[in-house]
Amino acid sequence: MSVDGITMILTPDAKSLADTIKTTLTSFEYSVTLEPDIDYTVSFEGANDFEVTEGAVLNYNQNTTHDITVSAKAVYTVSGRFIDSPGTDTTVHTVTSLIFTNEDDGYSYTAQINGSSYTVQLRNGNYSAAVKSDGAHTNTHVSVSGKAVSKDLLLVEDSAAQLSVEWA
């Protein structure tokens, strides 16, 4: 795992007058100067697939070494089939790519496609799905909340006839 582009944020207790500290990581070691005897909570930007599991709060009044343990967030299997919309022929469009984008942070995950089905590992959150195919798209959303999800994705033909309404 690379730490390039990851920012460590140390947020002081809300009751203190101390400033939030942000430092861009270039290695797995860090050095910061904190106000003494104030709780600082560690979080990260740019590492949304990970969470602090140990050492999240720092409170010292002298120089010290403090380890922070970061672990991958839990992921859950999301799987399903591609189904055609009503009115298309019975053959499922050929999907060549399926990408799920987390609506909160914009992280994208590429699904594995096997014929007319897919599988992907996603962490908790809400995702929009985008397909590349031979003439179809989807507007499907998937929500993951602590367990595996089975969700068929409705494919709508790109050239589907538009309903024309004439007004009198």
Side-chain angles (χ1 to χ4, degrees):
M1 176 183 156
S2 170
V3 295
D4 292 339
I6 296 175
T7 300
M8 183 170 70
I9 303 165
L10 294 119
T11 305
D13 183 282
K15 297 175 189 166
S16 78
L17 298 176
D19 292 329
T20 296
I21 297 170
K22 291 186 176 188
T23 183
T24 301
L25 300 178
T26 57
S27 71
F28 288 101
E29 296 180 1
Y30 66 96
S31 177
V32 295
T33 302
L34 305 175
E35 294 291 329
D37 299 318
I38 293 176
D39 285 345
Y40 286 85
T41 302
V42 176
S43 61
F44 293 93
E45 284 180 356
N48 294 5
D49 285 340
F50 297 88
E51 61 189 345
V52 177
T53 55
E54 289 183 36
V57 178
L58 291 80
N59 184 332
Y60 297 102
N61 57 21
Q62 61 187 5
N63 290 343
T64 190
T65 298
H66 182 92
D67 291 336
I68 298 170
T69 303
V70 178
S71 301
K73 289 182 179 178
V75 293
Y76 306 93
T77 300
V78 176
S79 60
R81 298 177 306 123
F82 302 112
I83 55 176
D84 285 326
S85 62
T88 62
D89 65 274
T90 57
T91 304
V92 173
H93 292 277
T94 301
V95 174
T96 58
S97 173
L98 171 59
I99 297 174
F100 289 91
T101 302
N102 185 294
E103 293 178 352
D104 290 330
D105 58 32
Y107 269 42
S108 294
Y109 304 86
T110 302
Q112 293 186 350
I113 298 170
N114 183 12
S116 63
S117 63
Y118 73 91
T119 304
V120 65
Q121 298 292 313
L122 299 175
R123 59 186 160 86
N124 286 338
N126 296 310
Y127 297 83
S128 58
V131 297
K132 285 186 182 178
S133 75
D134 62 345
H137 65 276
T138 188
N139 292 324
T140 306
H141 288 77
V142 173
S143 293
V144 178
S145 183
K147 62 181 180 178
V149 176
S150 178
K151 174 89 174 189
D152 292 341
L153 301 183
L154 179 63
L155 299 177
V156 179
E157 193 164 335
D158 289 338
S159 61
Q162 299 294 318
L163 177 61
S164 176
V165 177
E166 292 185 29
W167 297 96

Coordinates of all heavy atoms in Angstrom, one line a residue, residues 57-116:
V57 N -6.9 8.1 19.2 CA -6.9 9.3 20.0 C -5.5 9.5 20.6 O -4.9 8.6 21.2 CB -8.0 9.3 21.1 CG1 -7.9 10.5 22.0 CG2 -9.4 9.1 20.5
L58 N -5.0 10.7 20.4 CA -3.7 11.1 21.0 C -3.9 12.2 22.1 O -4.7 13.1 21.9 CB -2.8 11.7 19.9 CG -2.3 10.8 18.8 CD1 -3.3 10.5 17.8 CD2 -1.0 11.3 18.2
N59 N -3.2 12.1 23.2 CA -3.2 13.1 24.2 C -1.9 13.0 25.0 O -1.8 12.0 25.8 CB -4.4 12.9 25.1 CG -4.5 14.0 26.2 OD1 -3.5 14.6 26.6 ND2 -5.7 14.3 26.6
Y60 N -1.0 13.9 24.8 CA 0.3 13.8 25.4 C 0.7 15.2 25.8 O 0.2 16.2 25.3 CB 1.4 13.3 24.4 CG 1.1 11.8 24.0 CD1 0.5 11.5 22.8 CD2 1.3 10.8 24.9 CE1 0.2 10.2 22.4 CE2 1.0 9.5 24.5 CZ 0.5 9.2 23.3 OH 0.2 7.9 22.9
N61 N 1.7 15.2 26.8 CA 2.3 16.5 27.2 C 3.8 16.5 27.1 O 4.5 17.3 27.8 CB 1.8 16.9 28.6 CG 2.1 15.9 29.7 OD1 3.0 15.0 29.5 ND2 1.4 15.9 30.8
Q62 N 4.3 15.5 26.4 CA 5.8 15.4 26.1 C 6.0 14.7 24.8 O 5.1 14.1 24.3 CB 6.4 14.6 27.3 CG 5.9 13.2 27.5 CD 6.5 12.6 28.7 OE1 7.2 13.2 29.5 NE2 6.2 11.3 28.9
N63 N 7.2 14.7 24.3 CA 7.5 14.0 23.1 C 7.3 12.5 23.3 O 7.6 12.0 24.4 CB 9.0 14.2 22.7 CG 9.2 15.6 22.3 OD1 8.3 16.4 21.9 ND2 10.5 16.0 22.2
T64 N 6.7 11.9 22.3 CA 6.4 10.4 22.4 C 6.3 9.8 21.1 O 6.3 10.5 20.0 CB 5.1 10.2 23.2 OG1 5.0 8.9 23.5 CG2 3.9 10.7 22.4
T65 N 6.3 8.5 21.1 CA 6.0 7.7 19.8 C 4.6 7.2 20.0 O 4.3 6.6 21.1 CB 7.0 6.6 19.6 OG1 8.3 7.2 19.5 CG2 6.7 5.8 18.4
H66 N 3.8 7.3 19.0 CA 2.4 6.8 19.1 C 2.0 6.0 17.8 O 2.0 6.6 16.7 CB 1.4 8.0 19.2 CG 0.0 7.6 19.3 ND1 -0.6 7.3 20.6 CD2 -1.0 7.3 18.4 CE1 -1.9 7.0 20.4 NE2 -2.1 7.0 19.1
D67 N 1.8 4.7 17.9 CA 1.4 3.9 16.7 C -0.1 4.1 16.4 O -0.9 4.2 17.3 CB 1.7 2.5 17.0 CG 3.2 2.2 17.0 OD1 4.0 3.0 16.4 OD2 3.6 1.2 17.7
I68 N -0.4 4.1 15.2 CA -1.7 4.1 14.7 C -1.9 2.9 13.8 O -1.1 2.7 12.8 CB -2.0 5.4 13.9 CG1 -1.8 6.6 14.8 CG2 -3.4 5.4 13.3 CD1 -1.9 8.0 14.0
T69 N -2.9 2.1 14.1 CA -3.2 0.9 13.3 C -4.4 1.2 12.3 O -5.4 1.7 12.8 CB -3.5 -0.3 14.1 OG1 -2.5 -0.5 15.0 CG2 -3.8 -1.5 13.3
V70 N -4.1 1.0 11.0 CA -5.1 1.2 10.0 C -5.4 -0.1 9.3 O -4.5 -0.8 9.0 CB -4.6 2.3 9.0 CG1 -5.6 2.5 7.9 CG2 -4.3 3.6 9.7
S71 N -6.7 -0.4 9.2 CA -7.1 -1.6 8.5 C -8.1 -1.4 7.4 O -8.8 -0.3 7.4 CB -7.8 -2.6 9.6 OG -6.9 -2.9 10.6
A72 N -8.2 -2.3 6.5 CA -9.2 -2.2 5.4 C -10.6 -2.3 6.0 O -10.8 -3.1 6.9 CB -8.9 -3.3 4.4
K73 N -11.4 -1.4 5.5 CA -12.8 -1.5 5.9 C -13.5 -2.8 5.4 O -13.0 -3.3 4.3 CB -13.6 -0.3 5.4 CG -13.3 1.0 6.0 CD -14.2 2.1 5.5 CE -13.8 3.4 6.2 NZ -14.6 4.5 5.6
A74 N -14.5 -3.3 6.1 CA -15.1 -4.5 5.6 C -15.8 -4.3 4.2 O -16.3 -3.2 4.0 CB -16.2 -4.9 6.6
V75 N -15.7 -5.3 3.4 CA -16.4 -5.2 2.1 C -17.4 -6.4 2.0 O -17.2 -7.4 2.7 CB -15.4 -5.3 0.9 CG1 -14.6 -4.0 0.9 CG2 -14.5 -6.5 1.0
Y76 N -18.3 -6.2 1.2 CA -19.4 -7.2 1.0 C -19.6 -7.5 -0.5 O -19.4 -6.6 -1.3 CB -20.7 -6.7 1.6 CG -20.5 -6.3 3.1 CD1 -20.2 -5.0 3.4 CD2 -20.5 -7.2 4.1 CE1 -19.9 -4.6 4.7 CE2 -20.3 -6.9 5.4 CZ -20.0 -5.6 5.7 OH -19.7 -5.2 7.0
T77 N -20.0 -8.7 -0.8 CA -20.2 -9.1 -2.2 C -21.5 -8.6 -2.7 O -22.5 -8.7 -2.0 CB -20.2 -10.7 -2.3 OG1 -18.9 -11.2 -1.8 CG2 -20.4 -11.1 -3.7
V78 N -21.4 -7.9 -3.8 CA -22.6 -7.4 -4.5 C -22.6 -8.2 -5.8 O -21.6 -8.2 -6.6 CB -22.5 -5.9 -4.7 CG1 -23.7 -5.4 -5.5 CG2 -22.5 -5.2 -3.4
S79 N -23.7 -8.8 -6.1 CA -23.8 -9.6 -7.4 C -25.2 -9.5 -8.0 O -26.1 -9.2 -7.3 CB -23.4 -11.0 -7.1 OG -24.3 -11.6 -6.1
G80 N -25.3 -9.9 -9.2 CA -26.6 -9.9 -9.8 C -26.4 -10.2 -11.3 O -25.3 -10.6 -11.8
R81 N -27.5 -10.1 -12.0 CA -27.6 -10.3 -13.4 C -27.9 -9.0 -14.2 O -28.4 -8.1 -13.6 CB -28.7 -11.3 -13.8 CG -28.5 -12.7 -13.2 CD -29.7 -13.7 -13.5 NE -30.9 -13.1 -13.1 CZ -32.0 -12.9 -13.9 NH1 -31.9 -13.2 -15.2 NH2 -33.1 -12.3 -13.5
F82 N -27.6 -9.0 -15.5 CA -28.0 -7.9 -16.3 C -29.3 -8.4 -17.0 O -29.4 -9.5 -17.5 CB -27.0 -7.7 -17.4 CG -25.6 -7.3 -16.8 CD1 -24.6 -8.2 -17.0 CD2 -25.4 -6.1 -16.2 CE1 -23.3 -7.9 -16.5 CE2 -24.2 -5.8 -15.6 CZ -23.1 -6.7 -15.8
I83 N -30.3 -7.6 -16.9 CA -31.6 -7.9 -17.5 C -32.0 -6.8 -18.5 O -31.8 -5.6 -18.2 CB -32.7 -8.2 -16.5 CG1 -32.9 -7.0 -15.5 CG2 -32.4 -9.5 -15.7 CD1 -34.0 -7.2 -14.5
D84 N -32.6 -7.2 -19.6 CA -33.1 -6.2 -20.6 C -34.4 -5.5 -20.1 O -35.2 -6.1 -19.4 CB -33.3 -6.8 -21.9 CG -32.0 -7.1 -22.6 OD1 -31.0 -6.4 -22.4 OD2 -31.9 -8.2 -23.3
S85 N -34.6 -4.3 -20.6 CA -35.8 -3.6 -20.2 C -36.9 -4.2 -21.1 O -36.7 -4.8 -22.1 CB -35.7 -2.1 -20.5 OG -35.4 -1.9 -21.9
P86 N -38.2 -4.0 -20.6 CA -39.3 -4.5 -21.4 C -39.3 -3.9 -22.8 O -38.9 -2.7 -23.0 CB -40.5 -4.0 -20.6 CG -40.0 -3.8 -19.2 CD -38.6 -3.4 -19.4
G87 N -39.6 -4.6 -23.8 CA -39.7 -4.1 -25.2 C -38.4 -4.4 -26.0 O -38.4 -4.2 -27.2
T88 N -37.3 -4.8 -25.3 CA -36.1 -5.2 -26.1 C -36.2 -6.6 -26.4 O -37.0 -7.4 -25.9 CB -34.8 -4.9 -25.3 OG1 -34.8 -5.7 -24.1 CG2 -34.7 -3.4 -25.0
D89 N -35.4 -7.1 -27.4 CA -35.4 -8.5 -27.7 C -34.9 -9.3 -26.5 O -34.3 -8.8 -25.5 CB -34.6 -8.8 -29.0 CG -33.2 -8.5 -28.8 OD1 -32.7 -7.4 -29.0 OD2 -32.4 -9.5 -28.5
T90 N -35.0 -10.6 -26.5 CA -34.7 -11.4 -25.4 C -33.3 -11.7 -25.1 O -32.9 -12.2 -24.0 CB -35.4 -12.8 -25.5 OG1 -34.9 -13.4 -26.7 CG2 -36.9 -12.7 -25.6
T91 N -32.4 -11.3 -26.0 CA -31.0 -11.4 -25.8 C -30.4 -10.3 -24.9 O -30.7 -9.1 -25.2 CB -30.2 -11.4 -27.1 OG1 -30.8 -12.4 -28.0 CG2 -28.7 -11.7 -26.9
V92 N -29.7 -10.7 -23.9 CA -29.1 -9.7 -23.0 C -28.0 -9.0 -23.8 O -27.2 -9.6 -24.4 CB -28.6 -10.3 -21.7 CG1 -27.8 -9.3 -20.9 CG2 -29.7 -10.9 -20.9
H93 N -28.0 -7.6 -23.7 CA -26.9 -6.9 -24.3 C -25.5 -7.4 -23.7 O -25.5 -7.8 -22.6 CB -27.0 -5.4 -24.0 CG -28.2 -4.8 -24.7 ND1 -28.1 -4.4 -26.0 CD2 -29.5 -4.5 -24.3 CE1 -29.3 -3.9 -26.4 NE2 -30.1 -4.0 -25.3
T94 N -24.5 -7.2 -24.5 CA -23.2 -7.6 -24.0 C -22.6 -6.5 -23.2 O -22.3 -5.4 -23.8 CB -22.2 -8.0 -25.2 OG1 -22.8 -9.1 -25.9 CG2 -20.9 -8.4 -24.7
V95 N -22.4 -6.7 -21.9 CA -21.8 -5.7 -21.1 C -20.3 -5.9 -21.0 O -19.9 -7.0 -20.7 CB -22.4 -5.7 -19.7 CG1 -21.7 -4.7 -18.7 CG2 -23.9 -5.4 -19.7
T96 N -19.5 -4.9 -21.3 CA -18.0 -5.0 -21.3 C -17.4 -4.4 -20.1 O -16.2 -4.7 -19.8 CB -17.4 -4.4 -22.6 OG1 -17.8 -3.0 -22.7 CG2 -17.9 -5.1 -23.9
S97 N -18.1 -3.6 -19.4 CA -17.5 -2.9 -18.2 C -18.7 -2.5 -17.3 O -19.7 -2.0 -17.8 CB -16.7 -1.7 -18.7 OG -16.3 -1.0 -17.5
L98 N -18.5 -2.6 -16.0 CA -19.4 -2.2 -15.0 C -18.6 -1.5 -13.9 O -17.8 -2.1 -13.3 CB -20.2 -3.3 -14.5 CG -21.1 -3.1 -13.3 CD1 -22.2 -2.0 -13.6 CD2 -21.8 -4.3 -12.8
I99 N -18.9 -0.3 -13.6 CA -18.2 0.5 -12.6 C -19.3 1.0 -11.6 O -20.3 1.6 -12.0 CB -17.4 1.6 -13.2 CG1 -16.4 1.1 -14.1 CG2 -16.8 2.5 -12.1 CD1 -15.6 2.1 -14.9
F100 N -19.0 0.8 -10.3 CA -19.8 1.3 -9.2 C -19.0 2.5 -8.6 O -17.9 2.4 -8.3 CB -20.0 0.2 -8.1 CG -21.0 -0.8 -8.6 CD1 -20.5 -2.0 -9.2 CD2 -22.3 -0.7 -8.4 CE1 -21.4 -3.0 -9.6 CE2 -23.2 -1.7 -8.8 CZ -22.7 -2.8 -9.4
T101 N -19.7 3.6 -8.4 CA -19.1 4.8 -7.9 C -19.8 5.1 -6.6 O -21.0 5.3 -6.5 CB -19.2 6.0 -8.8 OG1 -18.6 5.6 -10.1 CG2 -18.5 7.2 -8.3
N102 N -19.0 5.3 -5.5 CA -19.6 5.6 -4.2 C -20.1 7.1 -4.2 O -19.3 8.0 -4.6 CB -18.5 5.4 -3.1 CG -19.0 5.7 -1.7 OD1 -19.4 6.8 -1.4 ND2 -19.0 4.6 -0.9
E103 N -21.3 7.3 -3.9 CA -21.9 8.6 -4.0 C -21.4 9.6 -3.0 O -21.5 10.8 -3.2 CB -23.4 8.5 -4.0 CG -24.0 7.7 -5.2 CD -25.5 7.5 -5.2 OE1 -26.1 7.9 -4.2 OE2 -26.0 7.1 -6.2
D104 N -20.8 9.1 -1.9 CA -20.3 10.0 -0.9 C -18.9 10.5 -1.2 O -18.6 11.7 -0.9 CB -20.3 9.3 0.5 CG -21.7 9.1 1.1 OD1 -22.6 9.9 0.7 OD2 -21.9 8.1 1.8
D105 N -18.1 9.7 -1.7 CA -16.7 10.1 -1.8 C -16.1 10.0 -3.3 O -15.0 10.3 -3.5 CB -15.8 9.4 -0.9 CG -15.8 7.9 -1.0 OD1 -16.0 7.4 -2.1 OD2 -15.7 7.2 0.0
G106 N -16.9 9.4 -4.2 CA -16.5 9.3 -5.6 C -15.6 8.2 -5.9 O -15.1 8.1 -7.0
Y107 N -15.2 7.3 -4.9 CA -14.4 6.2 -5.2 C -15.1 5.3 -6.2 O -16.3 5.1 -6.1 CB -14.1 5.4 -3.9 CG -12.9 5.8 -3.2 CD1 -12.5 7.1 -3.0 CD2 -12.0 4.8 -2.6 CE1 -11.4 7.5 -2.3 CE2 -10.9 5.2 -1.9 CZ -10.6 6.5 -1.7 OH -9.5 6.9 -1.0
S108 N -14.4 4.7 -7.1 CA -14.9 3.8 -8.1 C -14.4 2.4 -8.0 O -13.2 2.2 -7.6 CB -14.7 4.3 -9.5 OG -15.3 5.5 -9.7
Y109 N -15.2 1.4 -8.2 CA -14.9 0.0 -8.1 C -15.3 -0.7 -9.4 O -16.5 -0.6 -9.8 CB -15.5 -0.7 -6.9 CG -15.2 0.1 -5.6 CD1 -15.9 1.2 -5.2 CD2 -14.1 -0.3 -4.9 CE1 -15.6 1.8 -4.0 CE2 -13.8 0.3 -3.7 CZ -14.5 1.4 -3.3 OH -14.2 2.1 -2.1
T110 N -14.5 -1.5 -10.0 CA -14.8 -2.2 -11.2 C -15.3 -3.6 -10.9 O -14.6 -4.4 -10.2 CB -13.6 -2.3 -12.2 OG1 -13.1 -0.9 -12.4 CG2 -13.9 -3.0 -13.5
A111 N -16.4 -4.0 -11.4 CA -17.0 -5.3 -11.2 C -16.4 -6.3 -12.2 O -15.9 -6.0 -13.3 CB -18.5 -5.3 -11.4
Q112 N -16.4 -7.6 -11.8 CA -16.0 -8.7 -12.6 C -17.3 -9.1 -13.4 O -18.3 -9.3 -12.7 CB -15.4 -9.8 -11.9 CG -14.0 -9.4 -11.3 CD -13.4 -10.7 -10.6 OE1 -14.0 -11.7 -10.5 NE2 -12.1 -10.5 -10.3
I113 N -17.2 -9.3 -14.7 CA -18.3 -9.6 -15.5 C -18.1 -11.1 -16.0 O -17.0 -11.4 -16.4 CB -18.5 -8.7 -16.7 CG1 -18.8 -7.3 -16.1 CG2 -19.6 -9.2 -17.6 CD1 -18.7 -6.2 -17.2
N114 N -19.2 -11.9 -15.9 CA -19.1 -13.2 -16.3 C -20.4 -13.5 -17.1 O -21.5 -13.8 -16.6 CB -19.0 -14.2 -15.2 CG -18.9 -15.7 -15.6 OD1 -18.7 -15.9 -16.8 ND2 -19.0 -16.6 -14.7
G115 N -20.4 -13.2 -18.4 CA -21.5 -13.4 -19.3 C -22.6 -12.4 -18.9 O -22.4 -11.2 -19.1
S116 N -23.7 -12.8 -18.4 CA -24.8 -11.9 -18.1 C -24.9 -11.7 -16.6 O -26.0 -11.3 -16.1 CB -26.1 -12.5 -18.7 OG -26.4 -13.7 -18.0

